[in-house]
Amino acid sequence: AIQKYSGGQLTVTGPTATAGIFCTFPAEYLSLWGGIMDQVRLLLSFMNISMIILIICSNTAAIFYK
């Protein structure tokens, strides 16, 4: 299906570009620094959520084992 759509030419840009299917590209307005900060914020959010879950689970387990 991809070969038929692109005419056998897998290109990154243009009317039949297929590179966006396999990877994501940042928007034109996003700078390199903005992209790095976006990923750092996402990582920190996941770390915070994981820590909260671990703390809640460890506190809940202590209640049941008393």
Side-chain angles (χ1 to χ4, degrees):
I2 293 174
Q3 291 293 333
K4 186 175 180 179
Y5 171 75
S6 66
Q9 295 285 59
L10 303 177
T11 58
V12 176
T13 60
T16 59
T18 55
I21 297 171
F22 304 105
C23 60
T24 58
F25 296 102
E28 295 293 325
Y29 59 84
L30 186 65
S31 67
L32 177 64
W33 181 248
I36 292 171
M37 291 308 297
D38 178 59
Q39 293 300 307
V40 168
R41 282 189 300 232
L42 181 67
L43 174 67
L44 290 175
S45 298
F46 282 135
M47 288 174 58
N48 285 337
I49 291 169
S50 299
M51 291 301 295
I52 290 169
I53 290 171
L54 287 172
I55 290 170
I56 290 173
C57 288
S58 66
N59 287 339
T60 305
I63 293 171
F64 291 119
Y65 291 118
K66 281 188 176 182

